[in-house]
């Protein structure tokens, strides 16, 4: 039912409501049983065990577990006690699962924050008595009393209100307090911000008092519907997760295919069945970069630390990279692009502006954002609120009322009695007989009235909220409505929640980076359009679409015209989620910024949700992937840059790992193909993959970004991790490394093969730093990489030279000549790749 369109008399007639009596205790109990408590539904999330098990769904993880099981069964069936290989693989998988479990808390936190918004107690009329009851006991039909400073416990239609204003920006996105009324509204006033005769659960009473008829409780309230959206909304899979899953499946199938081919090839060459089976498993182990899942997690964690230093807190690790793929940033207006603080942007008078400021501070209670803005405006002209009210103390007032649209105060001044009126320009102009110019009063003329009216309309066209000020001097005090007649009109003040200074450059940077900035707000069309044009988000009013217009379009129609709009005004939480999803259906990676309760569902639905850390509600923060601690929209630009840099570095690391693994596969495959013994054992392959490959790969993750990274288009979410050219490079580089290891095997022994394969991969890590030559980037500019290579080389030497490790890794000591050959062969990847770079990749 459209409660806001009913008059109070119609509401009483249809519902049987008795405003002075309320419900009886018996009827309230019956309704409580029917509708349930006034609480948000609590859904029990998966336990720790289920979360832990869910970490093993990744195809690469399953392949590793299968390899560990086969290796264990093979050792057990032969009566051996060597379980090193399966234990190492299991350790990697378990560590990765534990890290993943701690990332899955967002939905529960969002709902908990929503519950905390509900006030614990409410003043209710029951059988004609005022009772203070737990808000959970409220039922539809209750009559609830409201007082200034209290949280509203349920949704409802106002029955009475006296100077009642509420703060609803967290729910509607509209800046400032909302003046309430009891009159019926037109049926088409469907936007939350337009329902002036309605109050909403979880919002706050800022001034005045009133009573309301409860229409909705619990999950049926506006906050309850948001909670339902959050509970049902699935966070989308990130582009990085999609790419890694695709890469993992490809590597898993490749490993399985290699195992099968090698096994049957060995059988054809009359090799022992069990020996070939174990060799096939070894080759499968070689094909999979076991450290990749943990490596990506660590690299993302390092990115999180860097972003934290830039005031961006990441709550969900893959979100770091997702930002680099963002093609659309849907931003809330209030508190995100604007300061969420009313400011006097313009004023107009025909006298000293300080006189206008003096009137505004006299007729002022400092209770709302507009009155506070007037006090700050006056301070610019050295007019003090406290001093002026001390010189001219207030002796009477006619308080502001939404029906009268004005407020009047009477002051006792040294020159006599002075009444000051502020309010809607059209009301004050209608009651003014004079105007004030250059320190004196003049009779109001039609031309002057038109001048003030046109200025007021000009302010309004710029999306400014306009207040006028007038006064009246009198020899004796009149304490009645006559104070508001025969006024002297002084001037106007235009208010706006101004854009953040840094938002201008941030919007421009987004456009340069190929990212489309979009404003989605609950505020009025004119205000949203003005802010959008000022920031450069849109260029014309035709690029603005309202929530009511969105409702008239099907998803197909809206999707077809979505690219024509840059600003969406007067939207509800469901509109925001709908828009985010339509952008995603068009192949966009969507980032959503916001700070209010009304932003939470869209923050969760987006590929990456960015909440404001200072002004943001707990609900918004807990539904987000990233929190901007300085509430600075420009911080997101830095985060996008960091995201792109991390993606490029992850690509470098994976390129390095896969080219090395191709070298390992080639070494074993070619040896079997030509009837040689298997040159490398599974434990040696694991040592290379987990130790001598992982540390350099990790250090590739701290390479600084290219200087032009924010002038390139966004990383396509649908694009694979590597192009055909990159795959070809990996194969060529891997085959060369494998050839060096095979040469060492045929010219020496398996230990030399093991050493060359490991050390040549360490040397190859320097090639991966950049597409530019090492002579340009320098060998020592990434000190972390340089020292990690030295450390891994030392560990490789220990494995070969220390007796305690020789037994574990099946190695033998090498002579000086053999070490010399190993060194020369291991250094050869640098000149080869340098030649490749010079030929032009």
């Amino acid at each position: 039912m459209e409660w806001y369109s009913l008059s109070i008399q119609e509401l009483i007639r249809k519902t049987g409501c008795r405003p002075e009596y309320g419900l009886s205790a018996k009827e309230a109990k019956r309704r409580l049983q029917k509708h349930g408590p006034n609480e948000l539904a609590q859904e029990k999330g998966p336990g720790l065990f289920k979360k832990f098990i869910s970490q093993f769904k990744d195809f690469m993880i399953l392949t590793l577990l299968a390899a560990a099981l086969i290796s264990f069964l093979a050792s057990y069936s032969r009566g051996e006690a060597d379980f090193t290989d399966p234990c190492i693989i299991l350790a990697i998988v378990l560590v990765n699962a534990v890290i993943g479990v701690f990332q899955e808390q967002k939905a529960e936190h969002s709902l908990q924050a929503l519950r905390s918004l509900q006030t614990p107690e409410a003043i209710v009329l029951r059988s004609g008595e005022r009772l203070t009851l737990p808000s959970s006991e409220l039922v539809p039909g209750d009559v609830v009393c409201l007082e200034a400073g209290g949280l509203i416990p349920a949704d409802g239609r106002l029955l009475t209100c006296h100077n009642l204003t509420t703060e609803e920006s967290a729910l509607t996105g509209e800046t400032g307090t909302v003046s309430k009324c009891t009159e019926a509204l037109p049926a088409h006033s469907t936007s939350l911000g337009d329902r002036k005769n309605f109050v909403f659960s979880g919002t706050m009473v800022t001034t005045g008092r009133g009573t309301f008829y409860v229409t909705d409780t619990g999950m049926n309230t506006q906050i309850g519907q948001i909670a339902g959206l959050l509970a049902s909304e699935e966070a989308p899979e990130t582009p990085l997760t999609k790419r890694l899953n695709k890469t993992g499946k490809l590597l898993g199938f490749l490993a399985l295919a290699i195992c099968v081919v090698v096994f049957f090839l060995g059988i054809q060459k009359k090799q022992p069945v069990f020996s070939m089976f174990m060799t096939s498993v070894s080759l499968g182990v070689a094909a999979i970069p076991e450290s990749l899942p943990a490596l990506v997690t660590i690299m993302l964690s390092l990115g999180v630390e860097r972003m934290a230093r830039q005031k961006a807190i990441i709550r969900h690790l893959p979100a770091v990279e997702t930002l680099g793929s963002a093609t659309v940033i849907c931003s809330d207006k209030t508190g995100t692009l604007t300061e969420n603080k009313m400011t006097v942007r313009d004023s107009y008078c025909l006298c000293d502006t300080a006189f206008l400021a003096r009137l505004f501070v006299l007729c002022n209670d400092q209770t709302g954002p507009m009155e506070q803005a007037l006090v700050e405006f006056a301070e610019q002209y050295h007019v003090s609120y406290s001093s002026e009210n001390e010189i001219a103390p207030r002796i009477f007032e006619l308080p502001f009322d939404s029906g009268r649209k004005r407020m009047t105060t009477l002051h006792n001044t040294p020159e006599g009695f002075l009444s000051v009126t502020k309010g809607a320009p059209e009301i004050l102009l209608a009651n003014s007989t004079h105007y004030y110019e250059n320190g004196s009063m003049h009779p109001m003329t039609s031309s002057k009235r038109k001048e003030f009216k046109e200025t007021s309309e000009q302010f309004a066209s710029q999306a400014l909220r306009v207040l006028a000020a007038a006064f009246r001097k009198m020899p004796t005090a009149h304490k009645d409505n006559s104070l508001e007649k025969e006024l002297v009109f002084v001037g106007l003040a235009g208010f706006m929640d101004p854009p953040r200074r840094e938002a201008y450059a941030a919007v421009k940077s987004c456009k340069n980076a190929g990212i489309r900035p979009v404003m989605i707000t609950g505020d009025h069309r004119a205000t949203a359009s003005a802010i959008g044009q000022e920031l450069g988000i849109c260029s014309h009013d035709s690029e603005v679409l309202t929530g009511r217009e969105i409702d008239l379009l099907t998803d197909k129609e809206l999707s077809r015209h979505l690219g024509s709009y840059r600003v969406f005004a007067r939207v509800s939480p469901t509109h925001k989620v709908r828009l985010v999803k339509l952008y995603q259906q068009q192949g966009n990676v969507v980032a959503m910024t916001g700070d209010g309760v009304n932003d939470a569902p869209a923050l969760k639905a987006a590929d990456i949700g960015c909440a404001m850390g200072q002004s943001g509600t707990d609900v918004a923060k807990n539904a987000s992937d990233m929190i901007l601690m300085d509430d600075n929209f420009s911080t997101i630009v830095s985060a996008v840059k960091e995201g792109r840099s991390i993606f490029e570095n992850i690509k470098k690391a994976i390129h390095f790992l896969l080219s090395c693994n191709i070298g390992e596969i080639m070494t074993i495959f070619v040896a079997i193909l030509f009837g040689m013994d298997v040159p490398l054992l599974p434990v040696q392959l694991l040592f290379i993959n987990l130790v001598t490959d992982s540390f350099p790969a990790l250090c590739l993750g701290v390479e600084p970004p290219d200087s032009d990274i924010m002038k390139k288009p966004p990383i396509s979410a649908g694009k694979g991790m590597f192009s055909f050219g990159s795959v070809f490079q990996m194969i060529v580089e891997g085959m060369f490394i494998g050839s060096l290891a095979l040469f060492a095997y045929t010219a020496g022994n398996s230990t030399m093969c093991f050493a060359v394969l490991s050390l040549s991969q360490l040397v190859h890590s320097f090639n991966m730093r950049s597409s530019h030559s090492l002579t340009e980037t320098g060998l020592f500019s990434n000190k972390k990489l340089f020292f990690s290579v030295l450390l891994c080389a030392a560990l490789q030497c220990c494995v070969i030279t220390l007796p305690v490790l020789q037994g574990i890794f099946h190695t033998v000591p090498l002579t000086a000549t053999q070490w010399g050959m190993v060194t020369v062969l291991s250094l050869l990847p640098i000149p080869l790749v340098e030649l490749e770079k010079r030929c032009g990749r």
Side-chain angles (χ1 to χ4, degrees):
M1 184 181 294
E2 294 182 338
W3 297 100
Y4 55 84
S5 65
L6 300 178
S7 67
I8 293 176
Q9 290 72 26
E10 287 175 318
L11 184 142
I12 292 172
R13 188 174 67 252
K14 288 190 175 186
T15 64
C17 167
R18 290 185 284 179
E20 305 299 327
Y21 185 82
L23 297 174
S24 66
K26 183 179 179 180
E27 177 62 16
K29 184 177 180 181
R30 187 189 70 79
R31 295 192 184 192
L32 186 62
Q33 291 175 340
K34 178 182 177 182
H35 297 283
N38 180 31
E39 296 174 337
L40 298 182
Q42 299 187 27
E43 292 189 17
K44 190 177 180 181
L48 277 177
F49 181 73
K50 283 189 176 180
K51 288 179 181 177
F52 183 74
I53 294 299
S54 69
Q55 304 301 315
F56 297 93
K57 293 178 181 178
D58 183 79
F59 190 84
M60 191 185 297
I61 297 294
L62 293 174
T63 306
L64 284 173
L65 288 174
L69 178 62
I70 292 170
S71 180
F72 172 81
L73 293 175
S75 296
Y76 183 78
S77 65
R78 296 181 68 180
E80 297 177 355
D82 184 7
F83 302 128
T84 305
D85 298 353
C87 287
I88 291 174
I89 294 174
L90 284 174
I92 297 163
V93 171
L94 289 173
V95 168
N96 197 64
V98 169
I99 292 172
V101 165
F102 288 103
Q103 304 299 323
E104 300 182 5
Q105 304 294 329
K106 293 199 296 183
E108 304 120 68
H109 288 167
S110 296
L111 294 174
Q112 287 169 6
L114 278 166
R115 292 185 194 108
S116 71
L117 285 176
Q118 293 187 301
T119 180
E121 292 182 332
I123 301 173
V124 191
L125 284 178
R126 292 275 174 91
S127 301
E129 295 184 25
R130 284 169 62 102
L131 302 176
T132 301
L133 300 175
S135 65
S136 59
E137 295 182 14
L138 289 183
V139 295
D142 263 326
V143 177
V144 178
C145 302
L146 297 174
E147 295 177 351
L151 279 174
I152 296 169
D155 287 5
R157 168 69 162 87
L158 283 166
L159 298 171
T160 64
C161 67
H162 303 279
N163 195 28
L164 184 69
T165 62
T166 60
E167 169 57 59
E168 299 176 353
S169 64
L171 183 66
T172 66
E174 188 171 350
T175 311
T177 56
V178 180
S179 297
K180 294 297 182 178
C181 66
T182 58
E183 291 79 15
L185 298 173
H188 65 267
S189 300
T190 56
S191 170
L192 295 183
D194 292 330
R195 299 180 192 177
K196 306 295 185 184
N197 59 9
F198 225 78
V199 289
F200 302 101
S201 176
T203 60
M204 179 174 283
V205 178
T206 50
T207 62
R209 64 186 189 277
T211 59
F212 74 94
Y213 173 86
V214 176
T215 59
D216 296 291
T217 59
M219 294 299 288
N220 292 323
T221 63
Q222 291 298 322
I223 279 185
Q225 291 176 35
I226 292 174
L229 284 172
L230 283 173
S232 62
E233 196 61 54
E234 291 288 334
E237 195 175 35
T238 68
L240 179 62
T241 305
K242 291 176 184 177
R243 292 186 181 106
L244 289 177
N245 286 342
K246 187 176 179 181
T247 303
K249 286 180 181 179
L250 179 63
L251 290 174
F253 285 123
L254 180 64
L256 185 61
I258 290 170
C259 289
V260 172
V261 169
V262 170
F263 178 75
F264 284 105
L265 183 65
I267 297 298
Q268 188 180 17
K269 290 184 175 292
K270 310 298 182 183
Q271 295 286 338
V273 174
F274 186 82
S275 174
M276 284 313 305
F277 178 76
M278 289 306 298
T279 300
S280 299
V281 172
S282 300
L283 210 53
V285 170
I288 300 174
E290 288 82 3
S291 62
L292 183 57
L295 191 67
V296 170
T297 301
I298 293 169
M299 290 176 72
L300 290 174
S301 299
L302 292 173
V304 167
E305 290 182 15
R306 290 196 296 272
M307 293 179 76
R309 291 193 288 270
Q310 300 177 34
K311 307 293 185 182
I313 305 299
I314 301 296
R315 301 182 64 250
H316 186 210
L317 279 183
V320 182
E321 179 275 337
T322 308
L323 272 169
S325 303
T327 56
V328 174
I329 296 179
C330 296
S331 175
D332 182 42
K333 177 187 72 68
T334 307
T336 307
L337 291 166
T338 65
E339 295 179 1
N340 197 16
K341 177 185 176 183
M342 274 293 178
T343 304
V344 176
R345 291 290 298 272
D346 207 347
S347 63
Y348 181 80
C349 62
L350 302 176
C351 60
D352 185 3
T353 308
F355 182 74
L356 175 66
R358 178 171 181 256
L359 296 183
F360 274 132
V361 297
L362 286 174
C363 188
N364 194 315
D365 290 328
Q366 282 190 301
T367 53
M370 292 180 74
E371 291 198 326
Q372 187 59 47
L374 286 171
V375 172
E376 294 176 3
F377 166 69
E379 288 173 353
Q380 297 175 22
Y381 297 93
H382 308 290
V383 177
S384 168
Y385 176 86
S386 56
S387 298
E388 292 298 330
N389 281 276
E390 186 177 336
I391 295 169
R394 185 185 303 184
I395 59 174
F396 178 72
E397 70 176 271
L398 294 170
F400 176 83
D401 182 85
S402 57
R404 299 184 332 109
K405 295 184 179 179
R406 59 190 181 273
M407 170 186 178
T408 298
T409 56
L410 179 63
H411 302 265
N412 188 358
T413 74
E415 295 82 22
F417 295 101
L418 174 72
S419 74
V420 183
T421 302
K422 79 168 189 287
E426 65 274 15
I427 302 294
L428 268 63
L429 278 171
N431 290 326
S432 294
T433 57
H434 292 74
Y435 68 92
Y436 195 71
E437 183 176 9
N438 297 327
S440 59
M441 295 182 292
H442 304 274
M444 180 68 75
T445 62
S446 57
S447 61
K448 283 297 178 185
R449 196 182 302 275
K450 182 180 179 182
E451 179 183 335
F452 286 120
K453 183 182 177 182
E454 288 178 347
T455 304
S456 174
E457 291 173 348
Q458 182 184 352
F459 281 6
S461 69
Q462 298 168 7
L464 301 180
R465 298 185 184 185
V466 189
L467 280 181
F471 72 93
R472 180 182 176 186
K473 291 182 178 180
M474 58 195 72
T476 58
H478 299 279
K479 296 183 179 181
D480 53 34
N481 289 339
S482 65
L483 295 174
E484 297 176 342
K485 296 177 180 178
E486 299 179 6
L487 298 174
V488 180
F489 195 90
V490 177
L492 306 161
F495 302 78
M496 179 182 273
D497 177 15
R500 292 177 175 273
R501 288 190 299 271
E502 61 275 6
Y504 298 90
V507 169
K508 186 177 180 181
S509 295
C510 286
K511 289 184 173 182
N512 289 339
I515 302 168
R516 181 194 307 169
V518 174
M519 183 197 298
I520 303 180
T521 178
D523 216 334
H524 292 279
R525 179 189 186 116
T527 305
S529 178
I531 295 291
Q533 291 184 56
E534 188 171 346
L535 288 173
I537 292 175
C538 65
S539 56
H540 194 269
D541 191 59
S542 61
E543 295 178 299
V544 182
L545 195 68
T546 65
R548 194 175 300 159
E549 292 167 330
I550 290 173
D551 287 332
L552 299 176
L553 299 172
T554 64
D555 279 355
K556 188 175 181 180
E557 291 170 334
L558 183 56
S559 180
R560 187 165 61 247
H561 300 291
L562 201 58
S564 303
Y565 300 104
R566 294 291 185 273
V567 174
F568 299 90
R570 300 307 270 173
V571 296
S572 67
T574 51
H575 289 141
K576 293 184 178 185
V577 175
R578 185 182 174 194
L579 289 167
V580 166
K581 288 188 173 182
L582 286 176
Y583 276 120
Q584 289 171 330
Q585 288 172 15
Q586 292 182 348
N588 290 293
V589 175
V590 182
M592 171 76 189
T593 69
D595 62 351
V597 175
N598 59 326
D599 297 320
L603 286 172
K604 188 176 179 184
D607 295 284
I608 176 164
C610 310
M612 301 295 118
Q614 293 179 0
S615 62
T617 60
D618 285 344
V619 183
K621 292 174 187 176
N622 289 322
S624 68
D625 300 288
M626 181 175 81
I627 300 172
L628 307 179
M629 294 308 295
D630 57 358
D631 283 17
N632 193 333
F633 180 76
S634 65
T635 302
I636 199 171
V637 179
S638 301
V640 168
K641 182 177 181 180
E642 186 65 42
R644 292 186 176 188
S645 174
I646 286 172
F647 177 73
E648 288 300 318
N649 288 344
I650 287 175
K651 274 181 63 176
K652 292 174 187 175
I654 295 176
H655 182 136
F656 169 66
L657 291 175
L658 293 184
S659 62
C660 292
N661 283 27
I662 289 169
E664 296 164 18
I665 292 169
M666 180 187 169
T667 303
I668 296 176
F669 186 79
V670 172
I672 294 170
L673 188 65
F674 287 96
M676 294 183 279
D677 292 334
V678 179
L680 297 164
L681 299 175
V683 69
Q684 294 172 336
L685 292 171
L686 281 173
F687 178 82
I688 294 172
N689 287 355
L690 297 177
V691 180
T692 60
D693 282 359
S694 298
F695 287 110
L698 188 60
C699 292
L700 287 171
V702 297
E703 281 289 324
D706 293 334
S707 57
D708 61 345
I709 198 166
M710 286 301 287
K711 295 179 181 177
K712 298 176 182 177
I715 305 157
S716 174
K719 191 177 178 181
M721 185 74 78
F722 298 104
S723 64
F724 175 79
S726 297
V727 173
F728 182 75
Q729 290 167 28
M730 282 188 264
I731 293 172
V732 170
E733 292 160 6
M735 289 177 67
F736 184 72
I737 289 171
S739 299
L740 294 174
L742 276 172
F743 181 81
Y745 180 50
T746 54
N749 54 38
S750 60
T751 300
M752 288 178 64
C753 177
F754 177 33
V756 169
L757 192 61
S758 175
L759 296 174
S760 63
Q761 291 178 11
L762 291 176
V763 170
H764 183 50
S765 66
F766 291 108
N767 294 322
M768 292 294 98
R769 291 186 53 205
S770 172
S771 58
H772 301 291
S773 170
L774 270 176
T775 57
E776 297 176 41
T777 58
L779 194 63
F780 308 107
S781 54
N782 186 338
K783 291 182 173 59
K784 289 184 176 66
L785 177 62
F786 180 77
F787 286 114
S788 73
V789 168
L790 289 182
L791 173 64
C792 292
L795 290 173
Q796 179 65 43
C797 293
C798 290
V799 164
I800 295 172
T801 57
L802 296 180
V804 68
L805 296 177
Q806 288 173 351
I808 297 174
F809 290 96
H810 307 283
T811 58
V812 296
L814 299 180
T815 66
T817 303
Q818 289 173 325
W819 274 116
M821 183 181 292
V822 165
T823 302
V824 172
L825 291 173
S826 299
L827 292 173
L828 287 178
I830 285 183
L832 172 79
V833 177
E834 283 293 304
L835 180 62
E836 182 187 16
K837 289 177 181 179
R838 288 186 180 278
C839 291
R841 292 186 172 183

